[in-house]
Amino acid sequence: MSWFDERVGQQFIPAFKINQTALVINYLISGVFFGFVPKSFAFPYLQKGEIHEPHHEFPFKFPEYNIYVIYLKNKKDSLTTKLGLELLVI
């Protein structure tokens, strides 16, 4: 049984699944839904208190993933590229 099943029950069926983090954040801010997003994306909303991070001790270590970033060489010093890369290291 997973920690999630312990909280909501094994019979829980999500109302819908979204694969766009920006939409998930909007639903989380509305306060009607709960969901999971990368902390790097949620960080500014957590700082402003717009969403809440529940604290839970997990009895296991989450798997680590390698991620890769691709951007145009001539955009290396652009503000948007720098901001995007900063979000990945939080």
Side-chain angles (χ1 to χ4, degrees):
M1 180 181 285
S2 74
W3 66 269
F4 186 79
D5 291 341
E6 290 174 7
R7 298 293 185 275
V8 299
Q10 290 182 334
Q11 309 309 318
F12 176 78
I13 299 172
F16 56 90
K17 294 180 182 179
I18 301 174
N19 195 17
Q20 291 185 356
T21 308
L23 290 176
V24 175
I25 290 288
N26 287 335
Y27 283 115
L28 295 176
I29 290 172
S30 77
V32 179
F33 300 93
F34 69 92
F36 303 92
V37 294
K39 190 170 187 175
S40 60
F41 192 86
F43 189 74
Y45 304 95
L46 290 166
Q47 282 188 315
K48 291 188 269 183
E50 293 179 314
I51 60 175
H52 172 73
E53 176 184 14
H55 297 287
H56 183 81
E57 294 293 325
F58 296 98
F60 55 86
K61 183 177 179 182
F62 283 98
E64 293 183 14
Y65 296 95
N66 292 322
I67 60 171
Y68 303 91
V69 178
I70 299 171
Y71 54 87
L72 297 172
K73 284 183 180 181
N74 64 345
K75 299 290 183 181
K76 180 180 178 183
D77 295 321
S78 76
L79 179 61
T80 53
T81 300
K82 288 179 179 180
L83 288 173
L85 292 173
E86 284 178 19
L87 283 174
L88 294 174
V89 297
I90 291 177

